[in-house]
Amino acid sequence: MKNKFKQSTIEKLSYYVYLLEDPRNNNIFYIWKWKWNRIFSHMNWAINWDKESNKIKIIKEILENNLKVKHKVIRHWLTEKEAYEVESAIIDFYWLENLTNIVLWHDSYDRWLMDINEIFVNYESEKIKVEDDLIAININNLYYYWITNSEIYESTRKSWRLNLDRAKNIKYALSVFRWIVREVYEINDWYFSKKQNWFDRYEFQWMIAKKNIREKYINKDVSEYFSKWSQNPIKYIMI
């Protein structure tokens, strides 16, 4: 099989979206977009690169069985923006649990696959009405659509630089993603983070807040308390 496009073909393809398919079961295990000869690069990485990944592992298994990865171009002659759109829509439709992609697709946080309840939460949430002293913790860099409740907790409770004297007087923590409260915790205590080589960082002991507290704040919009460009994930919201 050829493993390189001619320059004339590259120019005709422009940006394209492609997939890799396992010939043993016809499962699609990788979807991506780019241009030039990117579609062939994964085979070279599997042969010459020591770093392991699920994608590389599958390719190596295919080669060890004297088979060839199936390469398919889904759409071509695209602009870069069009390629991103096609790629993200196909990944959403096929869904990540079937794929070995490590990096999320373009605009994934803003426009990924959502059920109808997530649409309501993201676009129709009411502004928060603060009736308690709160500490809001932004977990934008840790959140993803299929995150579990326990993973939200682990992402929220540690490990933060904060004003401990101030935080100790606050009873409730809000887990915030994209300025929407995703969960509400009752804080039992703060203590030094156990994460190795992390200093001056704290984590809290927790329980899910009581129903009456949780229902006041869950899925509420806290955007007025967060500057869009702020680098600090911690906000103290006081009555």
Side-chain angles (χ1 to χ4, degrees):
M1 184 185 76
K2 294 182 179 180
N3 60 3
K4 188 176 182 180
F5 293 133
K6 294 180 180 178
Q7 182 60 34
S8 59
T9 302
I10 290 173
E11 292 171 5
K12 291 172 183 175
L13 289 175
S14 189
Y15 280 91
Y16 57 89
V17 179
Y18 65 91
L19 63 81
L20 304 182
E21 188 175 291
D22 189 335
R24 297 170 297 176
N25 49 27
N26 295 322
N27 283 344
I28 298 168
F29 64 92
Y30 191 78
I31 295 172
W32 203 243
K33 48 79 196 64
W34 202 238
K35 52 184 177 176
W36 305 308
N37 283 296
R38 177 60 182 268
I39 191 171
F40 302 111
S41 61
H42 310 283
M43 296 293 291
N44 295 327
W45 292 338
I47 295 169
N48 301 310
W49 201 24
D50 291 334
K51 188 174 180 180
E52 284 293 333
S53 69
N54 288 336
K55 175 185 65 179
I56 297 298
K57 180 175 180 289
I58 290 173
I59 293 174
K60 285 183 175 180
E61 289 174 354
I62 292 169
L63 296 176
E64 288 168 0
N65 282 276
N66 295 317
L67 296 171
K68 296 179 180 178
V69 174
K70 293 181 181 180
H71 298 72
K72 297 182 179 180
V73 175
I74 302 168
R75 285 290 186 276
H76 66 281
W77 198 22
L78 303 170
T79 64
E80 184 176 13
K81 184 176 185 298
E82 290 170 339
Y84 278 130
E85 291 293 333
V86 172
E87 175 209 33
S88 61
I90 292 172
I91 290 179
D92 269 342
F93 181 78
Y94 196 70
W95 203 226
L96 268 184
E97 66 182 23
N98 300 303
L99 301 177
T100 57
N101 295 56
I102 297 175
V103 180
L104 291 175
W105 49 101
H106 190 66
D107 284 340
S108 60
Y109 293 125
D110 295 319
R111 296 187 294 148
W112 54 23
L113 176 70
M114 298 181 191
D115 64 36
I116 199 68
N117 291 327
E118 188 77 0
I119 293 289
F120 285 130
V121 168
N122 284 349
Y123 296 109
E124 299 187 12
S125 289
E126 298 175 357
K127 296 289 186 181
I128 193 170
K129 295 178 181 177
V130 178
E131 299 177 1
D132 306 272
D133 290 339
L134 307 167
I135 182 168
I137 301 174
N138 185 333
I139 61 168
N140 279 357
N141 294 332
L142 303 169
Y143 191 93
Y144 53 95
Y145 176 72
W146 57 99
I147 195 169
T148 64
N149 290 337
S150 61
E151 288 172 328
I152 291 176
Y153 161 63
E154 285 298 327
S155 297
T156 305
R157 77 179 187 90
K158 61 180 182 182
S159 299
W160 308 107
R161 288 193 177 97
L162 47 77
N163 182 327
L164 188 59
D165 290 335
R166 195 174 187 185
K168 278 186 172 180
N169 294 318
I170 297 175
K171 190 172 183 180
Y172 302 109
L174 309 179
S175 180
V176 176
F177 171 68
R178 290 301 202 203
W179 306 292
I180 303 296
V181 177
R182 307 294 170 157
E183 192 50 88
V184 184
Y185 301 104
E186 184 172 330
I187 302 169
N188 292 331
D189 196 12
W190 289 93
Y191 52 93
F192 276 117
S193 175
K194 297 177 182 177
K195 192 165 183 177
Q196 188 175 8
N197 298 325
W198 282 38
F199 304 102
D200 299 326
R201 291 184 183 240
Y202 298 89
E203 53 192 73
F204 63 83
Q205 291 179 330
W206 71 291
M207 59 184 293
I208 297 290
K210 292 181 176 64
K211 183 178 178 181
N212 64 317
I213 299 295
R214 188 173 183 271
E215 289 181 348
K216 278 197 293 186
Y217 301 124
I218 194 76
N219 295 333
K220 294 299 190 294
D221 182 341
V222 294
S223 57
E224 64 186 284
Y225 296 97
F226 282 88
S227 167
K228 188 172 183 179
W229 309 114
S230 174
Q231 298 298 308
N232 189 353
I234 302 291
K235 294 295 177 184
Y236 302 97
I237 305 175
M238 317 297 283
I239 56 174

